[in-house]
């Protein structure tokens, strides 16, 4: 499974970056291949200053070695078969992560991440103490177009429904809960799906599910971008986009599991971990949103909406 997930991630990375370069029409992804002294490597591909995208990144990582006790303690809540320890524990992780920040405020930021994790010394048959899949995708507009949220959710629901009718409903709810910013009382965006510690089925079934989700990304996002990337916008629209990106940064640095895990991992490659950050963001003291322009967005950020019926 390790090798197959790694190979899939690299194929998906190549496919997505090729299509996003076509969509941008100007920018090219810089390919940064890196090695981790403690074990592993990765490929970070980043486009900056393009025609359509201010910054877009698609990264693949394969890391292994010894996980420090602080990181193990964080994992034990979801994996009780991992014993409490004051010693480092063997681990393996491979994943693909993608974030895209467009120039145009009418065009939404998007994120996805799909990963496979093993922890503990394998037994005589090569089976790890614990293994699981995780991942998800979410859409973060500054200016809300409800039909875009509906499209994004519909495509990922179709992927979920091919594998388990419970997945979309359960993982959509999990996404709304996960991407919550407690100190702001709002979500990061209009959601999608989120799942972690997924190990309740045969690994082949779960690997197939993760591939269905990853393969859906371009259909989720490119049609939205084709509609929004060339729309006119005002200086006020741009300022609002920058303020919303500030919220994005707050969530990623304070609450995101992946960021926290990466920063706790010895030999972590900080540039790749922080690849998801926008080039520009803004914070204003005591800012009050223009509810006439953005009231509907603020409503759904504070009280998540079911964008499509769960039973269709």
């Amino acid at each position: 499974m390790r090798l197959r997930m790694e190979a899939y991630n690299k194929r998906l990375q190549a496919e997505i970056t090729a299509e996003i370069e076509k969509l941008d029409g100007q920018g090219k992804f810089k390919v940064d291949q890196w090695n981790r002294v403690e074990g592993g490597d990765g490929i970070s591909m980043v486009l900056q200053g393009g025609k359509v995208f201010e910054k877009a990144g698609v990264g693949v990582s394969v890391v292994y070695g010894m996980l420090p006790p602080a990181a193990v303690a964080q994992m034990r809540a979801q994996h009780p078969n991992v014993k409490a320890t004051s010693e480092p524990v063997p681990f393996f992780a491979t994943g693909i992560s993608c974030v895209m920040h467009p120039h145009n405020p009418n065009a939404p930021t998007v994120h996805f991440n799909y990963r496979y994790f093993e922890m503990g010394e394998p037994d005589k048959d090569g089976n790890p103490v614990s293994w699981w899949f995780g991942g998800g995708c979410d859409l973060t507009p500054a200016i809300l177009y409800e039909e875009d949220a509906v499209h994004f959710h519909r495509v990922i629901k179709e992927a979920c429904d091919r594998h388990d009718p419970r997945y979309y409903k359960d993982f959509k709810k999990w996404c709304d809960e996960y991407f919550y910013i407690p100190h702001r009382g709002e979500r990061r965006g209009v959601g999608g799906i989120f799942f972690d510690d997924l190990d309740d089925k045969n690994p082949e079934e779960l690997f197939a599910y993760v591939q269905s989700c990853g393969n859906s990304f371009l259909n989720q996002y490119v049609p939205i971008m084709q509609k929004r990337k060339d729309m006119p916008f005002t200086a006020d629209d741009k300022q609002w986009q920058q303020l919303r990106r500030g919220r994005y940064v707050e969530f990623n640095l304070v609450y995101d599991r992946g960021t926290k895990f990466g920063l706790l991992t010895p030999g972590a490659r900080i540039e790749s971990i922080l690849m998801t950050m926008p080039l520009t963001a803004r914070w204003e003291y005591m800012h009050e949103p223009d509810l006439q322009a953005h009231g509907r967005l603020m409503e759904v950020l504070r009280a998540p909406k079911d964008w499509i019926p769960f039973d269709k």
Side-chain angles (χ1 to χ4, degrees), residues 139-293:
L139 194 70
T140 306
I143 297 173
L144 179 63
Y145 295 93
E146 296 202 19
E147 63 267 34
D148 294 351
V150 169
H151 170 80
F152 188 83
H153 279 261
R154 181 183 293 120
V155 173
I156 198 62
K157 182 180 185 296
E158 290 171 357
C160 291
D161 288 350
R162 288 196 289 271
H163 298 271
D164 193 313
R166 300 175 299 115
Y167 277 174
Y168 174 73
K169 182 177 181 179
D170 291 351
F171 297 162
K172 191 269 183 189
K173 180 175 184 291
W174 199 347
C175 182
D176 290 336
E177 293 170 351
Y178 179 77
F179 289 107
Y180 180 62
I181 309 172
H183 62 271
R184 297 292 190 180
E186 60 193 46
R187 277 76 190 165
R188 186 171 82 175
V190 296
I193 62 168
F194 177 85
F195 59 93
D196 206 0
D197 311 301
L198 196 62
D199 61 0
D200 61 342
K201 294 184 179 182
N202 182 290
E204 293 297 330
E205 294 181 60
L206 297 178
F207 181 40
Y209 169 60
V210 166
Q211 291 179 86
S212 291
C213 291
N215 294 343
S216 297
F217 170 73
L218 289 172
N219 190 28
Q220 281 182 283
Y221 190 56
V222 170
I224 295 172
M225 287 300 302
Q226 288 171 334
K227 286 193 297 183
R228 307 299 174 202
K229 65 185 178 68
D230 297 318
M231 290 179 65
F233 60 88
T234 67
D236 286 344
D237 293 335
K238 191 66 179 177
Q239 180 176 336
W240 173 245
Q241 178 198 53
Q242 298 298 293
L243 289 164
R244 294 311 310 170
R245 284 186 179 171
R247 299 291 201 269
Y248 199 93
V249 170
E250 289 173 29
F251 176 85
N252 280 26
L253 293 182
V254 179
Y255 299 109
D256 185 65
R257 287 188 192 181
T259 301
K260 291 195 287 187
F261 171 78
L263 296 176
L264 286 171
T265 303
R269 191 167 191 279
I270 303 303
E271 287 295 325
S272 296
I273 294 169
L274 299 181
M275 179 187 72
T276 61
M277 296 295 110
L279 276 184
T280 58
R282 184 183 181 96
W283 286 263
E284 290 184 13
Y285 185 72
M286 298 294 289
H287 178 268
E288 292 293 333
D290 177 354
L291 295 182
Q292 184 173 352

Side-chain angles (χ1 to χ4, degrees), residues 40-58:
D41 55 29
I43 306 171
S44 298
M45 299 182 66
V46 179
L47 183 158
Q48 292 186 152
K51 181 180 179 181
V52 172
F53 292 98
E54 182 177 287
K55 185 179 179 185
V58 188

